[in-house]
């Protein structure tokens, strides 16, 4: 684990190795640790905002529930697939990418994923800062004067709260992966309790009659409803695509694939079912209680009459958001940027690069409305989908589920992942057009409906292109791996 010195081979090149990137010998995570990882990811404010935004598509409550469950089942399947190579080798996502892109070419997907973490880290920090601001205004009304002036789209109080959240997350991250593991084990269940309490409060206020499972914000034909349901399902996958892509950063610590699959099963479909029901109750109940649908759980909590209850609720949601932000958007770029220059960029330095970059993006401008949320997910999906497709196509179709760990850390031209000067031209050739197609779809208004599927389009297009380009490749294809064992010791 980061900040703990593993015993790796002296033959490993220092250009490719440091204590954080080397194969871990401490694969001690149980199914509960994986379950807690997903619980924190699911039960974040970003998750609730995205799920609640589906009501603006014109879907009824039962349709939103169905879409959420369908999307999460796809995520579970993909999580099991992407977990295996990293668990086998004990290495993070950035290192396992060397198998497909080459030992130096892996910096391309690593940097792309790291830059995406800039956006998500900032968005989640902004949402947590909003909750903190509500608590501050509730107990110290005089702070309202700081909400008048604005700089780069955020009020002075907003900047203060954003700064506080930024520092708190950095402190947790700075203590390393063990501290992060302990934190998410607590954060996920805590927000679960708060959202269940909020749903219970709404049910108490409205009664069962106040919860409508046919509620919709606009009238749609049967064909339009079907299309919007498919769109919502795709957006669920897009939302989870970031932590899904770098799930290897955590599955590397798993005791076994059996433990990881069990953790994914409880942490995704079963956990998400309760999350979905709670979301539907809260959003549907807000319509009955306040006369309008409230898609932001922070705003809903702020309507709770009891100040202490409101403060506890918001602070717990802040805690949960810190948990998922560190897990999904601090750990990932920490490994990704460290991979670019292992001897100069440590795990901590890589994470702090993402933290600083997140501020420069002014993330609050990316998450201002349901429409903008969907647009942001489309663009991110255009980058993440192709990386996912190539990673899986290479491991399962080209390498036939085998990985030679020692060759992930060698700069010798004889290494299986050296390709051409450390880069695999075939993977890069498949990646570039796949990303370009996704971006073109996202930015052309006439293709707006198709843009919601940018992750799927990118994943299938890149996997297909890479398999087609590599079909005559005799370097690193399955026959070169026949009989090769996993070299970890």
């Amino acid at each position: 684990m980061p900040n703990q010195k593993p015993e790796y081979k002296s033959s490993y090149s220092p250009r490719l190795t440091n204590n954080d990137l080397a194969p871990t010998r401490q694969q001690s995570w149980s199914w509960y640790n994986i379950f807690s990882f997903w619980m924190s990811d699911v039960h974040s404010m970003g998750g609730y905002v995205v799920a609640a935004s589906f009501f603006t598509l014109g879907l009824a409550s039962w349709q939103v529930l169905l879409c959420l469950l369908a999307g999460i089942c796809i995520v579970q399947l993909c999580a099991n697939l992407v977990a295996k190579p990293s668990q086998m080798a004990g290495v993070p996502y950035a290192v396992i990418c060397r198998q497909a892109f080459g030992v130096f070419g892996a910096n391309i997907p690593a940097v792309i994923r790291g830059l995406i973490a800039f956006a998500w880290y900032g968005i989640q920090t902004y949402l947590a800062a909003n909750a903190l601001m509500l608590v501050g205004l509730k107990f110290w009304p005089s702070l309202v004067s700081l909400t008048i002036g604005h700089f780069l789209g955020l009020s002075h109080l907003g900047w203060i709260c954003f700064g506080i959240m930024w520092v708190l997350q950095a402190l947790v991250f700075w203590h390393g992966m063990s501290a992060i593991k302990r934190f998410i084990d607590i954060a996920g269940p805590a927000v679960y309790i708060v959202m269940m309490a909020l749903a219970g409060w709404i049910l108490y206020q409205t009664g069962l009659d106040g919860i409508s499972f046919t509620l919709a914000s606009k009238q749609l034909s049967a064909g339009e409803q079907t299309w919007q349901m498919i769109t919502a399902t795709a957006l669920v996958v897009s939302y989870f695509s970031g932590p899904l892509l770098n799930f290897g950063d955590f599955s590397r610590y798993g005791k076994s694939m059996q433990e990881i699959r069990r953790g994914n099963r409880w942490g995704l479909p079963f956990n998400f079912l309760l999350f979905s029901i709670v979301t539907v109750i809260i959003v549907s109940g807000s319509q009955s209680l306040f006369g309008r649908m409230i898609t932001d759980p922070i705003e809903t909590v702020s309507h709770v009459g009891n100040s202490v209850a409101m403060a506890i609720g918001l602070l717990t949601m802040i805690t949960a958001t810190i948990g998922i932000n560190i897990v999904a958007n601090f750990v990932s770029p920490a490994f990704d940027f460290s991979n670019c220059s292992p001897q100069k960029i440590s795990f901590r330095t890589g994470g702090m690069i993402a933290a600083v970059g997140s501020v420069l993006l002014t993330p609050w401008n990316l998450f201002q409305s349901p429409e903008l949320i969907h647009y942001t997910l489309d663009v991110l999906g255009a980058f993440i989908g192709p990386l996912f497709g190539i990673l899986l196509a290479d491991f399962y179709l080209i390498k036939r589920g085998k990985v030679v760990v020692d060759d992930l850390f060698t700069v010798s031209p004889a290494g299986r992942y050296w390709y051409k000067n450390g880069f695999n031209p075939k993977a890069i050739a498949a990646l570039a057009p796949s990303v370009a197609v996704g971006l073109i779809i996202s930015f052309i208004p006439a293709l707006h409906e198709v843009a919601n599927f940018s992750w799927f389009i990118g994943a299938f297009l890149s996997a297909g292109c890479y398999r087609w380009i590599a079909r005559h490749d005799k370097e690193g294809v399955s026959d070169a791996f026949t009989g090769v064992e996993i070299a970890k010791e």
Side-chain angles (χ1 to χ4, degrees), residues 386-444:
L387 295 176
F388 181 85
I390 291 173
L391 180 66
L392 293 195
D394 181 79
F395 180 72
Y396 288 99
L397 301 180
I398 307 299
K399 306 299 194 301
R400 301 295 174 87
K402 295 184 181 294
V403 56
V404 182
V405 180
D406 288 353
D407 284 5
L408 294 171
F409 297 94
T410 180
V411 293
S412 167
R416 289 174 174 80
Y417 311 124
W418 178 252
Y419 299 106
K420 293 185 178 179
N421 299 316
F423 293 82
N424 183 2
K426 294 177 173 60
I428 297 171
L431 176 67
S434 302
V435 171
V437 168
L439 291 177
I440 290 171
I441 291 172
S442 298
F443 285 107
I444 294 179

Side-chain angles (χ1 to χ4, degrees), residues 7-229:
E7 298 176 3
Y8 55 85
K9 297 183 179 180
S10 59
S11 60
Y12 286 0
S13 170
R15 298 173 65 187
L16 299 172
T17 317
N18 62 23
N19 291 345
D20 305 321
L21 300 176
T24 181
R25 293 180 181 274
Q26 299 183 9
Q27 293 182 302
S28 58
W29 282 33
S30 68
W31 71 271
Y32 180 77
N33 301 127
I34 300 297
F35 167 70
S36 296
F37 163 82
W38 287 119
M39 187 183 290
S40 294
D41 199 346
V42 167
H43 292 275
S44 66
M45 281 179 283
Y48 279 98
V49 170
V50 169
S53 71
F54 294 160
F55 285 92
T56 65
L57 296 173
L59 298 177
S61 300
W62 68 269
Q63 292 171 321
V64 171
L65 183 62
L66 193 60
C67 294
L68 291 171
L69 291 177
I72 209 64
C73 286
I74 296 173
V75 172
Q76 182 200 6
L77 173 64
C78 294
N80 288 336
L81 291 174
V82 83
K84 188 174 182 179
S86 285
Q87 195 280 328
M88 286 172 59
V91 297
Y93 158 77
V95 173
I96 207 66
C97 278
R98 295 173 185 174
Q99 208 181 12
F101 287 87
V103 290
F104 296 134
N107 289 331
I108 296 172
V111 169
I112 291 175
R113 177 62 185 97
L115 293 176
I116 288 171
F118 280 18
W120 275 120
Y121 180 83
I123 288 169
Q124 295 281 16
T125 303
Y126 162 65
L127 292 172
N130 261 358
L132 183 62
M133 187 163 60
L134 283 173
V135 174
L137 290 172
K138 188 73 174 181
F139 287 93
W140 297 282
S142 59
L143 292 176
V144 72
S145 61
L146 294 176
T147 63
I148 298 173
H150 282 71
F151 176 67
L152 296 178
L154 205 59
S155 69
H156 296 152
L157 182 59
W159 274 105
I160 293 171
C161 293
F162 187 90
I164 292 173
M165 295 308 307
W166 192 94
V167 171
L168 286 176
Q169 291 171 124
L171 287 174
V172 176
F173 169 79
W174 203 256
H175 284 82
M177 202 68 178
S178 296
I180 293 170
K181 173 174 167 285
R182 290 193 298 270
F183 190 89
I184 62 174
D185 283 348
I186 298 171
V191 77
Y192 222 137
I193 294 170
V194 169
M195 297 312 293
M196 290 284 286
L198 181 59
W201 176 77
I202 286 179
L203 280 172
Y204 175 77
Q205 295 292 326
T206 64
L208 287 174
D209 294 338
I211 306 300
S212 172
F213 284 90
T214 58
L215 183 69
S217 61
K218 51 189 173 184
Q219 296 298 317
L220 299 175
S221 66
E224 290 172 331
Q225 287 180 28
T226 301
W227 175 253
Q228 294 292 19
M229 288 179 69

Side-chain angles (χ1 to χ4, degrees), residues 347-369:
F347 176 76
R348 286 175 172 173
T349 304
M352 294 310 295
I353 289 173
V356 173
S358 70
V359 181
L360 302 179
L361 275 181
T362 63
W364 42 88
N365 294 318
L366 300 175
F367 236 59
Q368 288 180 336
S369 67

